[in-house]
């Protein structure tokens, strides 16, 4: 490497860190063994063997959601989040060092009602190697609470805030190098229901999309290290729903099921940090969509594909007149076929040939 190249790379790293610190309002160091910096058009890298995992699963169960709120008065909602770094498989034979809230991607849903006060405690697992915090888009306050929730490994802190507007709002880690932390899994939803609540449905599902940048090729067995160069180029190795390749599908965790005649509401957040999602249900349309998770107006109806920007959400509903898999995808379809962005609702029940007849000549 020439001196000029080395100087330029050092400048770029320093500038990137300074820019991240300016956004997050704080500083943070990355352990040297955590990341790599590849150049554009670099040769494929050989990888170390897969690391021993510290978590069997990082994909959040999409049905693990707090119950709808059934009260007429504001209350204090107590919530806790634990920041946790973990080594797990993106897919079999591919390990990666994730950063999470409560060991899951997306992090736990926080559910409240307009007018509630949220009493939030943030812990940092003592095995962590980096500081973390939380920026909640439902918070009116410095950094969305990021400055007040900074925790070093083994520490805890507490903050209180009032939620004053309805919607599904993303939360995410916002330390320096926040894009690295979010890409590694640190994001989730805080849902603020309107005072009158939400319409009843048979099922609620909660999913989150993000892209992961590594020094390996998609599917290359071994331990994948986070690649800052690939992130700067916005060239991810994986685009994932709930943190693992094809995690929420019948061949994997198979968490989402429904029966014909039932209804469901899907809460979808995109951590990013860079790529928007074109959120589409293969085999259906969205009956109603609340764009960007906004609950302040009427929903859009009969929507085939809804855009979800990084750092935002969507609330979408559907019903199931016929059985069969409903595949939830980012309709930038190479992300599905090549990089893992797929979740499936397995719908069982009686055929309805008036709606769909797969074999009319039988």
């Amino acid at each position: 490497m020439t001196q000029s190249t080395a100087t330029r790379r050092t400048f770029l790293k320093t500038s990137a860190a300074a820019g991240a610190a300016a956004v997050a309002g704080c500083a943070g160091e990355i352990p040297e063994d955590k990341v790599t910096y590849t150049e554009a058009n670099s040769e494929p890298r050989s990888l170390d063997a897969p690391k021993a995992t510290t978590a069997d699963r990082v994909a959040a169960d999409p049905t693990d959601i707090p119950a709808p709120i059934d009260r007429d008065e504001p209350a204090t909602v107590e919530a806790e989040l634990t920041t946790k770094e973990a080594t797990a498989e993106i897919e079999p034979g591919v390990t990666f060092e994730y950063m999470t809230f409560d060991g899951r991607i997306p992090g736990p849903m926080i559910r409240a009602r307009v007018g509630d006060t949220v009493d939030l405690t943030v812990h940092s697992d003592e095995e962590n190697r980096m500081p973390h915090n939380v920026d909640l888009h439902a918070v009116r306050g410095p950094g969305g609470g990021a400055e007040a929730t900074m925790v070093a490994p083994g520490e805890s802190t507490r903050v209180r805030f009032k939620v004053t507007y309805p919607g599904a709002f993303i939360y995410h880690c916002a330390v320096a190098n926040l894009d690295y932390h979010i890409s590694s899994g640190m994001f989730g939803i805080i849902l603020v229901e309107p005072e009158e609540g939400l319409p009843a449905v048979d099922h609620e599902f909660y999913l989150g999309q993000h892209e992961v940048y590594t020094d390996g090729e998609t599917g290359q067995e071994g331990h994948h290290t986070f690649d800052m160069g690939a992130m700067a180029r916005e060239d991810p190795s994986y685009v994932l729903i709930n943190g693992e390749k094809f995690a929420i599908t019948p061949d994997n965790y198979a968490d989402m099921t429904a029966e014909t005649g039932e209804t469901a509401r899907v809460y979808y957040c995109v951590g990013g940090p860079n790529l928007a999602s074109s959120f589409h249900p293969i085999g259906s349309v969205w009956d109603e969509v609340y764009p960007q998770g906004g609950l302040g107006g009427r929903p859009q109806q009969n929507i085939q594909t809804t855009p979800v920007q990084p750092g935002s959400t969507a609330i979408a509903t559907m019903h199931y007149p016929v059985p069969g898999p409903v595949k939830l995808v980012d309709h930038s379809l190479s992300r599905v076929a090549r990089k893992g962005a797929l979740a499936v609702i397995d719908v069982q029940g009686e055929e309805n040939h008036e709606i769909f007849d797969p074999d009319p000549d039988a």
Side-chain angles (χ1 to χ4, degrees), residues 125-192:
D125 188 273
E126 62 182 9
E127 299 296 323
N128 288 344
R129 298 175 62 193
M130 288 176 283
H132 301 289
N133 63 7
V134 193
D135 169 0
L136 304 103
H137 291 191
V139 169
R140 294 193 193 274
E147 296 177 19
T149 56
M150 178 68 67
V151 282
E155 291 185 347
S156 297
T157 191
R158 181 171 164 232
V159 65
R160 289 166 63 95
F161 57 91
K162 188 171 184 178
V163 287
T164 59
Y165 41 90
F169 302 97
I170 204 164
Y171 67 79
H172 59 84
C173 189
V175 298
N177 299 295
L178 71 173
D179 46 359
Y180 164 43
H181 287 233
I182 295 168
S183 177
S184 298
M186 298 196 79
F187 65 97
I189 281 179
I190 175 169
L191 173 65
V192 183

Side-chain angles (χ1 to χ4, degrees), residues 242-256:
N242 285 35
E244 300 177 36
K245 187 176 182 180
F246 303 149
I248 313 302
T249 65
D251 292 334
N252 214 327
Y253 299 126
D255 294 319
M256 295 195 299

Side-chain angles (χ1 to χ4, degrees), residues 92-111:
V94 176
T95 58
F96 178 72
E97 293 185 30
Y98 291 90
M99 291 183 272
T100 72
F101 292 102
D102 282 30
R104 291 291 183 260
I105 303 170
M109 179 186 286
I110 300 171
R111 194 164 195 161

Side-chain angles (χ1 to χ4, degrees), residues 231-308:
M231 183 168 63
R233 299 190 297 273
E234 301 187 6
D235 182 18
S237 306
Y238 290 93
V239 181
L240 303 172
I241 295 176
N242 285 35
E244 300 177 36
K245 187 176 182 180
F246 303 149
I248 313 302
T249 65
D251 292 334
N252 214 327
Y253 299 126
D255 294 319
M256 295 195 299
T257 61
E259 297 289 331
T260 52
E262 292 185 326
T263 57
R265 180 182 297 117
V266 179
Y267 302 97
Y268 202 75
C269 58
V270 175
N274 298 316
L275 303 183
S277 175
S278 299
F279 191 39
H280 169 69
I282 297 177
S284 187
V285 297
W286 301 117
D287 295 337
E288 295 183 332
V289 172
Y290 294 87
Q292 298 194 66
L295 290 170
R298 293 182 179 180
Q300 299 174 351
Q301 295 183 330
N302 302 319
I303 301 300
Q304 58 191 317
T305 302
T306 189
V308 189

